[in-house]
């Protein structure tokens, strides 16, 4: 087994163990629009039960809707159980302290998992590209 695969496997096992040990008890969640694919539906359901993702007020998940940079930051923040450093000197002109995504973006930026898209803009509501997602996962899980 090569070293990268071994490290990724160990990190995954540790992450799953951490979620199992410290996650609150799973709560039943129902989405009326889950995909027909059982593996995808089960993944969405499990992540929602552990509070890692959420749906909309009308009990839909909307699995075919694109994900924003802010939403991706929230998911990674919750999965890795990160904490925000309140003394973080970073700032973005389009991320205010009152925004729901502020702690997620600032923490992932602090850890170097996500970067600004220009000098001082994060563009939290822009759709996350496949390339950005690959980079985010690589950085966050040290692959």
């Amino acid at each position: 087994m090569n070293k990268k695969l071994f490290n990724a496997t160990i990190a995954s096992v540790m992450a799953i163990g951490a979620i199992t040990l410290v996650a609150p008890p799973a709560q039943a969640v129902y989405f009326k629009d889950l995909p027909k694919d059982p593996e995808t539906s089960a993944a969405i359901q499990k992540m929602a039960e552990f509070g890692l993702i959420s749906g909309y007020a009308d009990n839909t998940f909307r699995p075919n809707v694109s994900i924003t940079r802010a939403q991706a930051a929230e998911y990674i923040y919750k999965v890795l159980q990160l904490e925000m450093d309140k003394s973080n000197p970073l700032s973005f002109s389009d991320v205010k302290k009152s925004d729901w995504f502020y702690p997620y973006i600032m923490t992932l930026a602090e850890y170097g998992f996500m970067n600004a898209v220009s000098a001082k803009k994060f563009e939290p509501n822009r759709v996350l590209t496949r390339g950005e997602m690959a980079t985010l996962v690589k950085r966050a899980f040290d692959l």
Side-chain angles (χ1 to χ4, degrees):
M1 181 182 292
N2 73 33
K3 186 175 180 182
K4 283 188 178 185
L5 180 57
F6 176 76
N7 288 341
T9 302
I10 295 300
S12 297
V13 170
M14 290 173 64
I16 290 168
I19 290 171
T20 303
L21 293 174
V22 298
Q27 296 188 352
V29 177
Y30 169 76
F31 297 118
K32 58 186 178 185
D33 64 339
L34 288 178
K36 293 190 184 336
D37 172 48
E39 185 176 14
T40 303
S41 292
I44 292 168
Q45 200 69 36
K46 183 61 73 178
M47 291 178 72
E49 288 170 1
F50 280 99
L52 301 174
I53 58 175
S54 60
Y56 294 87
D58 63 355
N59 290 332
T60 60
F61 180 74
R62 303 177 192 170
N64 296 320
V65 172
S66 299
I67 187 171
T68 66
R69 288 170 49 84
Q71 291 168 323
E74 176 188 20
Y75 296 163
I76 297 296
Y77 179 98
K78 288 180 176 180
V79 167
L80 294 179
Q81 300 178 357
L82 301 173
E83 290 189 26
M84 183 180 169
D85 177 1
K86 302 212 187 305
S87 65
N88 182 353
L90 296 173
S91 67
F92 302 109
S93 62
D94 54 353
V95 178
K96 307 288 184 236
K97 284 187 177 183
S98 59
D99 292 330
W100 68 266
F101 46 76
Y102 177 83
Y104 310 129
I105 288 173
M106 299 312 288
T107 302
L108 267 65
E110 175 189 352
Y111 277 87
F113 297 160
M114 294 183 86
N115 298 325
V117 296
S118 65
K120 280 301 207 176
K121 288 200 173 223
F122 188 85
E123 296 186 7
N125 296 312
R126 183 173 57 74
V127 171
L128 186 75
T129 67
R130 290 171 49 121
E132 288 173 322
M133 186 64 194
T135 300
L136 174 56
V137 169
K138 179 192 176 298
R139 290 175 180 168
F141 295 98
D142 196 27
L143 302 176

